[in-house]
Amino acid sequence: MAKSPDWVAHFRSAGMSPTDLASHDALAAAPTLEKTNLRDLYPFPMLTNDMSTVRRFIATSGTTGLPVMFGMTDRDLDHLLAYQMCRILRTAGVEPSDRFYQGYGYGLWVGGLALDVGLKAYGATNFPLGPGRAELALAYLRDHGYTACSMSPLWLMTLVTAAHEMGMDPKRDWKLRVGLFGGQSVSAAFRDQLEAALPPGFIAHNIYGTTEAGGPVLGISCPYSHDRDEMHLINEDTIITEILDPATMSPVGPGEVGELVITTLDRDASPVVRWRTRDLVRLSDHPYDCPCGRKGMPLVGRIIGRSDDMLKVRGVIVFPTQIEDIIANTEGAVKEAWHIVIDREDKVLEEINIEIEKTKGSNVPREDVAYRVQHAVHSRIGIRANVICHDEGTLPRYEAKAVRVHVRKN
């Protein structure tokens, strides 16, 4: 890091130099890093290698402001990322003999790239369809006999719905047995319904990562932690993970909720030190006790939400995943298509508006579906919401990350 004047200046702001990190207890004193820090250094922030050695760039989604660029050297791609992704695949139960439908996107987003690199190193057969092209994907799922997959869980649910409309039964006509799902956290109820719609024994694993970490390399559930709705922070030998109270930045204890803060140990071109992901998780009651034997890879629950996506409605803290869980358990409601509409950027609200859809085959009237969601939101979360129910197909579908909170433009 001494090669990078950006890093030298960053540590100097906290009275440190990059070499101070050699001390075992120095990390807790190091300054945190956020997107605002990097956007101020546009276009190639904190790059520690000469551009001639950078083989590829990846970027954040850029849903707010310009995307942030991160470089990768040959070693970052072919050694580190491959090593981390092989561990992800192994933990989830993927086998080298699997035919793998790789449904993540490409371009600057790291999802598709990471799976391609990992599958090549692991030895599985990769079918890199990417997202979209639903009719072609349905035909390939039936004819190619894919046994494993990776994509947005919302996109797979969309494919399941489309298959039924075409007279195809995924339980009978597909051979999927394991899936790695990321891009957004989904509720346990949604995951259970997805598993129920697919061949018997199919397991939907949560996979978690960030561009800043180098890809979907941070967390994955094993067959044991899947049943507890938890996942292992599986690459702790190459990525230090802190789970901190977002207000005090102090470590949380077992059973407590905190923000994931990461430090990459082995990245060449674009390392991060104490990167604030803003993703909130619950540290397991027994973080180092899993029957799978991965005692050194701590367990955390699914991503609860982002600290900067949190809504405050009449003093009650609300996360979009809570709304999703209610919709997933409401008869007649489409599981993958919904969003929240708010009127204020600061997300401190008097009320929220929820838009949902009614499934085509349901006999429940739209007004009843809306009332059931409204009633459940009030009884389970303690807030009042205006719920509008549309016909199926009205609201946007998402092939990758879903945008669940929309600020209404006045």
Side-chain angles (χ1 to χ4, degrees):
M1 290 185 188
K3 298 179 182 178
S4 169
D6 293 344
W7 275 109
V8 171
H10 177 69
F11 282 105
R12 186 182 295 130
S13 69
M16 299 177 66
S17 72
T19 56
D20 290 338
L21 289 178
S23 170
H24 288 295
D25 58 355
L27 190 60
T32 58
L33 190 65
E34 303 190 53
K35 278 187 182 178
T36 52
N37 302 121
L38 302 187
R39 287 190 172 128
D40 290 343
L41 299 170
Y42 178 84
F44 307 118
M46 303 297 202
L47 197 63
T48 55
N49 280 60
D50 185 87
M51 189 65 79
S52 64
T53 68
V54 178
R55 293 292 170 262
R56 199 188 197 282
F57 273 91
I58 56 177
T60 57
S61 59
T63 52
T64 55
L66 282 169
V68 176
M69 294 286 182
F70 292 83
M72 303 184 83
T73 64
D74 280 333
R75 183 178 174 281
D76 290 332
L77 275 168
D78 299 332
H79 172 73
L80 179 60
L81 183 58
Y83 169 81
Q84 293 170 328
M85 288 304 301
C86 282
R87 184 176 283 173
I88 289 280
L89 294 167
R90 178 63 177 170
T91 304
V94 176
E95 299 290 344
S97 59
D98 277 320
R99 301 178 188 183
F100 201 100
Y101 168 8
Q102 203 305 93
Y104 283 127
Y106 292 92
L108 283 168
W109 191 50
V110 70
L113 167 70
L115 265 296
D116 282 359
V117 168
L119 290 167
K120 179 182 178 182
Y122 195 67
T125 304
N126 184 10
F127 293 82
L129 274 69
R133 297 180 295 174
E135 289 189 13
L136 182 63
L138 292 175
Y140 284 174
L141 278 160
R142 179 193 60 210
D143 301 337
H144 291 178
Y146 303 142
T147 53
C149 66
S150 62
M151 66 188 76
S152 158
L154 303 178
W155 178 240
L156 185 56
M157 184 63 88
T158 298
L159 290 177
V160 167
T161 302
H164 288 145
E165 291 174 351
M166 294 177 61
M168 188 183 298
D169 182 0
K171 280 177 169 290
R172 180 194 65 227
D173 300 327
W174 298 357
K175 293 182 172 60
L176 290 176
R177 62 176 190 80
V178 61
L180 283 65
F181 299 104
Q184 64 274 314
S185 180
V186 297
S187 69
F190 185 99
R191 182 202 65 188
D192 293 346
Q193 291 177 15
L194 186 61
E195 290 179 340
L198 291 167
F202 176 84
I203 298 179
H205 287 284
N206 280 327
I207 184 174
Y208 170 68
T210 68
T211 302
E212 300 80 17
V217 296
L218 286 168
I220 187 75
S221 54
C222 70
Y224 296 95
S225 60
H226 164 274
D227 295 339
R228 299 192 302 272
D229 204 20
E230 294 181 334
M231 56 185 171
H232 288 277
L233 297 175
I234 200 64
N235 280 305
E236 286 281 284
D237 55 337
T238 55
I239 304 168
I240 295 176
T241 307
E242 301 173 87
I243 304 177
L244 308 177
D245 183 310
T248 66
M249 298 306 288
S250 299
V252 304
E256 296 179 341
V257 173
E259 178 184 333
L260 284 162
V261 177
I262 62 170
T263 297
T264 56
L265 296 177
D266 215 15
R267 288 279 295 280
D268 282 345
S270 293
V272 294
V273 176
R274 306 200 85 199
W275 174 265
R276 294 192 65 171
T277 67
R278 296 293 178 178
D279 290 327
L280 299 174
V281 296
R282 178 183 176 274
L283 183 60
S284 175
D285 291 328
H286 303 284
Y288 296 98
D289 185 16
C290 185
C292 76
R294 295 175 175 88
K295 303 293 186 180
M297 309 299 177
L299 291 162
V300 297
R302 69 174 53 247
I303 305 302
I304 297 170
R306 290 180 55 83
S307 58
D308 50 4
D309 273 352
M310 181 178 71
L311 306 174
K312 195 169 187 179
V313 185
R314 290 182 175 254
V316 177
I317 301 300
V318 180
F319 290 102
T321 49
Q322 293 173 281
I323 304 298
E324 179 185 63
D325 188 55
I326 288 170
I327 294 169
N329 282 288
T330 299
E331 182 185 355
V334 174
K335 315 308 177 190
E336 69 271 20
W338 61 275
H339 57 230
I340 300 168
V341 181
I342 62 176
D343 296 316
R344 294 168 55 120
E345 293 279 358
D346 61 11
K347 300 178 182 176
V348 179
L349 310 162
E350 291 297 312
E351 62 182 13
I352 60 172
N353 304 284
I354 303 171
E355 294 193 47
I356 61 173
E357 292 180 349
K358 176 200 151 185
T359 55
K360 288 179 182 177
S362 172
N363 294 321
V364 182
R366 282 191 315 177
E367 295 78 10
D368 288 356
V369 177
Y371 173 78
R372 291 176 184 183
V373 170
Q374 184 182 50
H375 177 75
V377 168
H378 184 249
S379 61
R380 290 177 56 180
I381 304 178
I383 63 169
R384 297 192 180 278
N386 301 313
V387 180
I388 300 172
C389 185
H390 304 278
D391 290 327
E392 186 170 355
T394 303
L395 300 177
R397 265 58 176 174
Y398 299 94
E399 297 169 0
K401 285 188 177 182
V403 180
R404 292 308 193 195
V405 180
H406 298 256
V407 180
R408 183 158 33 210
K409 303 299 181 183
N410 294 322

